[in-house]
Amino acid sequence: ATTAPRIPPTRLALHHFDMSYSLQLKDLWPSVRASLLCEQKYGALLNNFSAVDHVTQELELLNATDFVSEAPQKAQRSQRGAAAEEAGRGESRSQEGSGEGRTVIQAEMSPPHRASISSNIKCYTFPRGDITRFRPARPDALGLFDYYLMDAASLLPVLALNVQPDEFVLDLCAAPGGKTLALLQAGVCGHLAANDVSVSRTKRLYQVLHSYVPKENRETVSVTSYDGRDWGQLEGGTFHKVLVDVPCTTDRHSVMEDDNNIFHKRRTKERQMLPMLQLQLLMAGILATKPGGEVVYSTCSLSPLQNECVIE
């Protein structure tokens, strides 16, 4: 033990990913690997409880754009391009095999249209290839910070949850609080339960709420530190929407930071047990949901064992 070379957890993580993700992603892995090893790029989630007009102007002058409002436009352009390409190929085939039928089938399979919460959520990012850092958030006259810096991809589970007015929402693994704050920015939750098993991380969640949300708006939020696996027994069949953003290998952190790294040799058993923990949390989230309600399960890992296999 004293003479064996000490391999840092980041190198162990990268070796593990090289072995597993190269098989999974094949030719895509080199570019994904480069992305994981790049400096983290943040988005600025605007705080609607603060005076944000001047902040919006400031960010736009820096050439940052709101990726939430841009996404539907990009998707429509992509769909139109794909439909045109499919139709072009279909002209040389029989009518039965044309692209039109496929478009109709997709439309029929789409969920019914509902009001989207995304119009209330704004998160600014710099263009691709631009790694400019945002200035630190500043408090307004009431002491509320103007934006919250987070990985923009962390907003995707919140947008997928698509909370409707007056719905009861559970964020089962809420700390440090970015997704909870984003849910509040939508301004539609009837009640929001934010839970995290870690007391220290729950303190961080409290700090975020106090720094960004006025007292009267915090009254719709309850913060708890229960073991999320027990939630189905605590408040079963209660919530319209449940977000289960589970602990995972946190791939980028694992290859970049030795501190608190899940690939540390002391945490091998903990890492191996992650899929079981994730499954138990997801089951608890499902049990906490009303009949007809919706659950979003999310990770920040590429691992099929932590994603598809847990769902299956």
Side-chain angles (χ1 to χ4, degrees), residues 53 98 120 150 158 174 198 281 305:
D53 288 344
S98 73
N120 297 331
M150 64 190 300
V158 173
S198 168
L281 287 167
L305 284 175

Side-chain angles (χ1 to χ4, degrees), residues 91-127:
E91 288 176 0
S92 61
R93 302 196 302 261
S94 66
Q95 181 62 34
E96 183 181 357
S98 73
E100 294 178 6
R102 185 172 299 172
T103 305
V104 172
I105 290 170
Q106 289 173 342
E108 288 174 351
M109 292 174 66
S110 298
H113 176 73
R114 297 175 299 174
S116 173
I117 65 168
S118 62
S119 58
N120 297 331
I121 298 176
K122 298 190 185 308
C123 184
Y124 279 76
T125 57
F126 290 110

Side-chain angles (χ1 to χ4, degrees), residues 185-207:
Q185 298 304 312
V188 295
C189 294
H191 176 72
L192 175 58
N195 177 74
D196 199 277
V197 67
S198 168
V199 175
S200 61
R201 284 166 58 86
T202 304
K203 288 180 181 177
R204 167 68 178 142
L205 174 59
Y206 271 117
Q207 289 174 350

Side-chain angles (χ1 to χ4, degrees), residues 262-277:
I262 191 75
F263 280 86
H264 195 287
K265 289 190 174 181
R266 287 197 302 264
R267 301 182 70 185
T268 300
K269 187 69 174 177
E270 179 187 351
R271 188 179 77 249
Q272 292 171 342
M273 292 301 293
L274 274 175
M276 179 57 69
L277 170 64

Side-chain angles (χ1 to χ4, degrees), residues 46-68:
L46 290 196
N47 184 14
N48 293 331
F49 300 111
S50 176
V52 295
D53 288 344
H54 72 283
V55 182
T56 301
Q57 295 169 2
E58 176 189 340
L59 294 175
E60 289 176 352
L61 284 171
L62 293 172
N63 202 29
T65 55
D66 173 25
F67 93 91
V68 181

